[in-house]
Amino acid sequence: MESNFFQSLQKESWEEVRLGDIIDIKHGWAFKGEFITTEPNNNILVTPGNFHIGGGFKSNKFKYYKGNFPAEYILKKMILL
């Protein structure tokens, strides 16, 4: 049985748009392996390993980054990954 949420997503209510008109895609940055650490600091490095295959976030095995990187790669609240 579908939930009300999924029922509200019926195709008839969809508007066809170009994906590039409604989202911005940010490609990754090559974080250098020599600066990746398991020692906690303020720079948690989010990788594909932080996500369950079926969906959801895993926060039990963080990696951290101790090098410099562009500020534009700091996630902000409400950003969709």
Side-chain angles (χ1 to χ4, degrees), residues 1-10:
M1 178 180 237
E2 293 183 1
S3 71
N4 288 339
F5 171 76
F6 290 112
Q7 289 173 352
S8 71
L9 296 177
Q10 298 302 317

Side-chain angles (χ1 to χ4, degrees), residues 1-62:
M1 178 180 237
E2 293 183 1
S3 71
N4 288 339
F5 171 76
F6 290 112
Q7 289 173 352
S8 71
L9 296 177
Q10 298 302 317
K11 188 173 182 177
E12 296 82 32
S13 67
W14 295 0
E15 177 184 353
E16 189 171 321
V17 296
R18 286 186 62 240
L19 195 54
D21 290 342
I22 60 171
I23 67 167
D24 293 316
I25 296 176
K26 182 74 176 166
H27 295 281
W29 187 71
F31 289 89
K32 296 182 180 183
E34 64 199 82
F35 297 112
I36 296 174
T37 181
T38 56
E39 185 176 322
N41 65 42
N42 289 331
N43 298 318
I44 297 171
L45 186 60
V46 178
T47 69
N50 290 112
F51 298 90
H52 293 287
I53 290 175
F57 189 73
K58 295 191 283 185
S59 60
N60 61 339
K61 284 189 162 184
F62 282 139

